[in-house]
Amino acid sequence: MNRRTLLAGVAMGLALTTGGAAQAQMDKVKACFVYVGPIGDGGWTYQHHQGLLAVEAAYGDKVETAYQESVPEGADAERVLTQMALSGCNIIFTTSFGYMDATNSVAAKFPDVKFEHATGYKRESPNVAVYDARFYEGRAVIGTIAGRMTKSNKIGYIASFPIPEVIQGINSSFIHARKVNPDVTISVVWAYTWFDPAKEADAAKALIEQGVDVILQHTDSTAPLAEAAKTPGVIGFGQASDMAAYKPSPRVASIIDNWAPYYVKRVGMLLDGTWESTASWEGIAAGEVEIGEITDAVPAEVKAEAEAIRDAIAAGTYHPFTGPLNKQDGSAWLAEGEVAEDGVLAGMNFYVEGITGDIPQ
Amino acid sequence: MDMFGGINPAVLIASLMAASVPIMLAAIGELVVEKSGVLNLGVEGMMIMGAVCGFVTAVGTGSAVLGFLGGAAGAMAMALVFAVLTQVLLANQVATGLALTLFGLGLSSLIGQGYVGIKPPPTGAVPFGPLADIPVIGRILFSHDPIVYLSIAAIAAVWAVLRFTRTGLILRAVGESHDAAHALGYKVTRIRVLAILFGGAMAGLGGAYVSLVRVPQWTDGITSGAGWIALAIVVFAAWKPWRVLIGAYLFGGITVLQLNLQAAGARIPVEYLSMSPYLITILVLVLMSADRARAAMNAPAALGKNFHASR
């Protein structure tokens, strides 16, 4: 039970609700992963797979792993999950928002198998847990760099789908860019895809043609960086993975999703019988969101400023959504010093004041 | 100089010309294949094989030109598999084409395993010197890489061959009535195999353009459906080469335009902008097929039918 007391000290992002009762310890766990893209995407799925490798490294022959790549979100996912549950998986990680309903429906049929769904919010059975990362904390850091680095005062954001996670990212980036540069404006392009290199490159190109010189992306490929590399003076950031191939410029920093601590922790809990249905939402403090190396293309004082924000978030002394903040229509949202509640962030469907354009509904 | 909401039309047209190259090359290749009476639905698979083989060749040799040739060769190898199955073993063309796409997607992923995160050698613009500095015209006509000009030249060449040469006449005859062509002594199977290989080479060039110029990198699934759009454009173009150019520019143009409108902050709901390329493609297809007799007349009569000499 040492591990349990140790884990109790870990700050949980959200309130824990106790699901199933503690089970017996296990000698060997089969951990399975469902991926939305290829592990060679250089971004989102690649990082989840690094988490799988970390689980293997941590538990050696006490753990067996299996994974399936490029599983479409929808009915197909249900078939894959059922097959995994039947083939002896003890815990199944479903690593994309679109697997939410399939995860809950299969979990209801296999009460002895644990299911962990990434970025979702539904837990219909006691054997389902959800987990997410506070990517907006990373956006606060790179938004600061973007605001300082832009010469045209135009920053661009390649957005995937209009879901709360993406809107949090746009708002957090803009708030912190505006904080250091009152003249900055943000152009948002909706790509309606998580992964389409050609389209992402086109979106980056369109932004550059509109005079944007700093590109932030919320899509999974390195194509926007490759496009930025063609135009001198345009910079971007690694997304999900470090994307170090584009160092020192155009990639001047990155937001890295590090799922390894969570995956190792959850498989460990299953091994020693302490697994419970939880909703985890960790960020920089827990090491789940990391800021990749800020390269020499960024002046030292800007780098120091960005790192100070990162460290303040990690220490818990600063929250990226701290008032005074108004909504886009000018109505008050957060008073001076007030911090956004997780519930509001998890359902975020509005821009903050200063962003032009509408969120597709 | 700026029109509609801060978008420079010269820059926009130059962008759409580059964005349309992959689908244009793949579509003109598929047009020749279909003109010979063969329906190859494996364009996507050939394109992505072209993308990965082109990338691997370019990285290995350090030459973009060799990369494009490697891409064409890789996709031709895929086309050869299709040709053997459908022309020699007389397999069903639709099923074989679909299988070719699935096979190509998987094989390209396997070949590309070690190439993620590597940058290929750059493909520069053609040096037109002072011509590129002419306002507007220079940006539109003289600012591209060689493949953009090659794609337009390919359209012109296919049009000229089909319309004015004996080769084109034979190819069309085989596509309209393989029995009649066979009775006249033409080698139907050989002509179709050559057409399929040409289609493969073009799809491969288009795929290589994606991985070497448009997105200069390799990632799994990089072509993301461009092959299917190319297939639609062939129908859209009613099997006429210049209409392939118009179709590709229309689709590429609307795609680039909607992204530019978004970036410029146009006050049009994003959903409509994102839908527009597909919507307009469907709309034009509906308008064209409204006149049923004319639409049917344009399709090669023997399209998708297998030929066996004993009949």
Side-chain angles (χ1 to χ4, degrees):
Chain A
M1 281 309 183
N2 281 345
R3 179 181 285 276
R4 195 170 201 177
T5 44
L6 176 84
L7 286 168
V10 176
M12 283 289 172
L14 294 180
L16 301 184
T17 48
T18 310
Q23 320 85 28
Q25 297 189 356
M26 299 176 74
D27 299 331
K28 193 169 185 335
V29 160
K30 184 173 181 186
C32 304
F33 293 75
V34 181
Y35 299 142
V36 70
I39 58 176
D41 70 352
W44 176 259
T45 293
Y46 173 83
Q47 287 304 122
H48 283 284
H49 193 63
Q50 293 301 303
L52 176 148
L53 299 175
V55 168
E56 286 179 347
Y59 299 110
D61 48 14
K62 287 205 325 197
V63 69
E64 183 192 345
T65 59
Y67 65 89
Q68 193 156 343
E69 298 171 87
S70 300
V71 176
E73 299 176 315
D76 234 16
E78 201 153 325
R79 192 177 49 77
V80 170
L81 289 173
T82 306
Q83 268 184 334
M84 280 188 170
L86 289 171
S87 70
C89 296
N90 306 112
I91 185 164
I92 301 175
F93 294 91
T94 57
T95 63
S96 188
F97 180 81
Y99 300 141
M100 184 158 66
D101 292 327
T103 303
N104 279 285
S105 122
V106 176
K109 295 178 206 151
F110 296 94
D112 298 340
V113 181
K114 309 293 179 234
F115 289 82
E116 298 255 2
H117 177 234
T119 69
Y121 53 83
K122 279 189 193 170
R123 286 185 292 155
E124 289 165 359
S125 339
N127 57 331
V128 179
V130 292
Y131 61 101
D132 199 352
R134 296 179 186 269
F135 306 116
Y136 67 84
E137 294 183 349
R139 299 268 170 208
V141 180
I142 65 171
T144 305
I145 299 173
R148 283 275 186 228
M149 294 292 286
T150 178
K151 296 196 173 49
S152 63
N153 291 329
K154 286 183 181 175
I155 62 175
Y157 199 104
I158 303 172
S160 49
F161 295 97
I163 59 173
E165 178 197 310
V166 177
I167 295 163
Q168 290 159 21
I170 296 168
N171 283 329
S172 180
S173 305
F174 178 74
I175 290 165
H176 294 85
R178 183 65 56 107
K179 218 170 237 180
V180 295
N181 179 351
D183 299 326
V184 89
T185 58
I186 191 164
S187 305
V188 181
V189 172
W190 296 94
Y192 280 97
T193 175
W194 285 113
F195 180 80
D196 180 344
K199 195 167 188 180
E200 292 172 54
D202 286 347
K205 193 170 181 175
L207 285 166
I208 293 166
E209 282 167 7
Q210 290 302 318
V212 161
D213 62 354
V214 181
I215 294 176
L216 293 86
Q217 60 176 103
H218 214 125
T219 48
D220 297 346
S221 90
T222 48
L225 285 172
E227 189 62 42
K230 294 179 191 173
T231 317
V234 176
I235 59 166
F237 301 89
Q239 162 68 7
S241 288
D242 195 27
M243 301 189 176
Y246 294 90
K247 277 183 186 178
S249 190
R251 176 230 165 273
V252 297
S254 63
I255 300 178
I256 304 171
D257 308 346
N258 182 7
W259 302 103
Y262 183 80
Y263 288 160
V264 168
K265 179 173 86 181
R266 299 299 283 178
V267 171
M269 285 175 139
L270 195 58
L271 279 166
D272 57 23
T274 55
W275 190 94
E276 291 175 326
S277 167
T278 54
S280 156
W281 197 15
E282 301 283 7
I284 293 178
E288 214 159 273
V289 175
E290 294 173 349
I291 301 297
E293 186 212 341
I294 300 172
T295 65
D296 294 341
V298 178
E301 66 273 16
V302 177
K303 182 176 174 178
E305 195 173 13
E307 284 174 343
I309 289 190
R310 178 195 68 194
D311 297 341
I313 294 172
T317 54
Y318 175 69
H319 189 294
F321 291 104
T322 304
L325 281 173
N326 292 342
K327 294 187 180 181
Q328 188 183 27
D329 56 14
S331 62
W333 174 34
L334 295 175
E336 179 81 41
E338 194 187 347
V339 169
E341 286 175 18
D342 278 351
V344 176
L345 291 179
M348 193 169 233
N349 61 353
F350 58 88
Y351 283 150
V352 294
E353 196 172 39
I355 299 181
T356 52
D358 300 318
I359 299 174
Q361 295 304 333
Chain B
M1 189 61 252
D2 282 3
M3 279 159 51
F4 31 77
I7 296 168
N8 180 335
V11 172
L12 184 77
I13 293 167
S15 282
L16 81 86
M17 285 174 76
S20 310
V21 167
I23 45 178
M24 195 172 4
L25 284 166
I28 197 67
E30 179 65 14
L31 182 137
V32 170
V33 176
E34 293 190 14
K35 272 288 185 191
S36 78
V38 178
L39 180 65
N40 184 354
L41 295 181
V43 180
E44 176 75 4
M46 297 190 300
M47 268 185 101
I48 197 152
M49 279 301 286
V52 74
C53 294
F55 192 85
V56 169
T57 315
V59 168
T61 59
S63 151
V65 176
L66 286 174
F68 281 105
L69 292 174
M76 268 172 100
M78 292 287 285
L80 187 64
V81 171
F82 178 85
V84 168
L85 287 169
T86 59
Q87 302 306 305
V88 180
L89 304 174
L90 302 183
N92 178 298
Q93 292 177 10
V94 171
T96 310
L98 292 172
L100 195 71
T101 286
L102 294 172
F103 175 56
L105 288 170
L107 186 59
S108 65
S109 170
L110 183 70
I111 295 173
Q113 284 292 324
Y115 287 89
V116 175
I118 298 175
K119 290 180 214 167
T123 311
V126 179
F128 281 108
L131 287 177
D133 301 326
I134 304 170
V136 186
I137 308 268
R139 183 66 203 252
I140 294 174
L141 294 180
F142 304 114
S143 69
H144 298 292
D145 54 81
I147 309 296
V148 174
Y149 304 109
L150 181 78
S151 67
I152 298 167
I155 301 266
V158 167
W159 168 76
V161 167
L162 285 177
R163 193 177 173 108
F164 300 116
T165 69
R166 186 171 179 80
T167 313
L169 189 64
I170 295 166
L171 187 85
R172 284 186 288 146
V174 167
E176 294 299 338
S177 168
H178 46 221
D179 292 322
H182 177 68
L184 287 170
Y186 293 116
K187 307 276 185 217
V188 174
T189 305
R190 183 182 306 168
I191 290 161
R192 285 185 172 173
V193 167
L194 289 171
I196 292 167
L197 289 178
F198 175 79
M202 287 289 133
L205 278 179
Y209 191 80
V210 174
S211 65
L212 292 177
V213 180
R214 195 152 159 227
V215 194
Q217 63 182 26
W218 170 255
T219 35
D220 285 6
I222 196 167
T223 49
S224 51
W228 298 110
I229 291 163
L231 277 162
I233 285 176
V234 175
V235 181
F236 172 94
W239 294 270
K240 292 183 164 73
W242 288 111
R243 288 201 199 170
V244 165
L245 179 112
I246 294 167
Y249 277 1
L250 189 67
F251 189 90
I254 294 166
T255 305
V256 169
L257 179 65
Q258 71 99 354
L259 291 167
N260 266 287
L261 283 170
Q262 283 196 51
R267 308 295 291 173
I268 306 171
V270 174
E271 300 88 326
Y272 296 120
L273 290 173
S274 294
M275 261 189 316
S276 55
Y278 304 94
L279 212 60
I280 285 174
T281 307
I282 291 168
L283 199 70
V284 177
L285 285 173
V286 168
L287 286 177
M288 281 180 30
S289 56
D291 190 352
R292 195 170 284 275
R294 283 200 49 208
M297 263 194 332
N298 274 327
L303 185 61
K305 298 195 177 102
N306 279 345
F307 171 73
H308 193 275
S310 68
R311 272 184 281 169

